[in-house]
Amino acid sequence: MAVYGDRGFGAMTQSRNDGPGLLTLAEIKEFAGFSAATQRYVRRSLDVAFDRKDAIAVWSRDMVEASTIQAQHKFYDKLPEIRALIPDSSSIEDAEPFLVPLITVSAFDLGQGRLDGFAAYRFLYERLIGADARPWLPSAFCAAASMPHLQPERRKALLQSISEAAATAPGWSKRQPSFYPEWVEKVESDSNSRAR
């Protein structure tokens, strides 16, 4: 398990009494609850964002997927700028330069059809952008999920996935995430050792 960059965060709110190990375990359990396609997309996205591996070599199964990874690289080139623009206040004027590129990148990711709801989006974006962006993620998600490039049924499913608690949270944790899922090579097991 590795931490990339100095920005990211865990769940929407966390108890201050939870130790780092328990919080990391909660992040792992949350990730394990996502579909296989969502898990794959999150790991791929983190590879693209942090240049951990050659994402095309590791993740593309065909030419179409290779081209979407190339497009993702172009969208993710905006991430350093987005991180630098996180507002220090809840002022609408401060939010505009931050939210516009965040919504654009979010719309790309939601358009890939692998993030099946707000929980998966939040999990990914808390690692891509950082804990300071947490108050802005519900609005960026709702804006991106409402865009016309998504089919109406997909828009409906995404918008219904955000809970009232997430949309109306009175405060957000500043804790950075500690679990950044990665590609793990399959290890061939010896059938004889299993038989013993």
Side-chain angles (χ1 to χ4, degrees):
M1 168 169 53
V3 176
Y4 295 90
D6 63 348
R7 294 190 176 261
F9 56 92
M12 290 300 272
T13 58
Q14 297 290 351
S15 166
R16 292 181 189 256
N17 298 331
D18 291 340
L22 291 176
L23 294 172
T24 300
L25 182 58
E27 292 175 19
I28 293 169
K29 287 170 85 174
E30 181 181 20
F31 181 73
F34 298 144
S35 70
T38 296
Q39 289 180 15
R40 185 176 197 280
Y41 190 79
V42 168
R43 290 192 312 260
R44 176 187 115 177
S45 299
L46 293 173
D47 282 352
V48 170
F50 298 114
D51 294 320
R52 298 189 305 190
K53 293 178 173 76
D54 179 350
I56 292 176
V58 172
W59 298 107
S60 67
R61 295 173 284 199
D62 54 36
M63 295 296 288
V64 172
E65 199 162 26
S67 67
T68 62
I69 291 170
Q70 289 173 336
Q72 189 175 24
H73 270 289
K74 290 178 183 170
F75 278 95
Y76 278 23
D77 282 347
K78 298 175 183 178
L79 290 175
E81 173 191 345
I82 293 169
R83 288 184 201 114
L85 292 171
I86 297 173
D88 292 329
S89 73
S90 59
S91 164
I92 295 170
E93 292 81 17
D94 293 342
E96 183 180 358
F98 168 69
L99 278 176
V100 171
L102 176 59
I103 291 167
T104 301
V105 176
S106 299
F108 170 82
D109 279 330
L110 294 180
Q112 298 305 296
R114 298 298 197 290
L115 299 176
D116 52 10
F118 180 72
Y121 168 83
R122 181 199 43 77
F123 187 92
L124 175 59
Y125 274 77
E126 65 189 11
R127 284 152 182 79
L128 294 179
I129 307 297
D132 293 336
R134 178 175 286 146
W136 304 99
L137 292 181
S139 57
F141 173 81
C142 289
S146 301
M147 294 186 74
H149 74 295
L150 300 172
Q151 293 296 319
E153 286 304 311
R154 174 97 173 116
R155 291 196 305 263
K156 179 180 178 181
L158 287 170
L159 290 169
Q160 288 178 339
S161 74
I162 188 166
S163 70
E164 182 180 340
T168 62
W172 296 268
S173 169
K174 295 287 187 180
R175 181 188 170 275
Q176 304 296 341
S178 57
F179 174 61
Y180 285 68
E182 293 188 58
W183 169 264
V184 177
E185 292 290 336
K186 291 184 180 179
V187 177
E188 294 297 322
S189 63
D190 180 10
S191 60
N192 292 336
S193 64
R194 273 190 278 159
R196 292 179 190 167

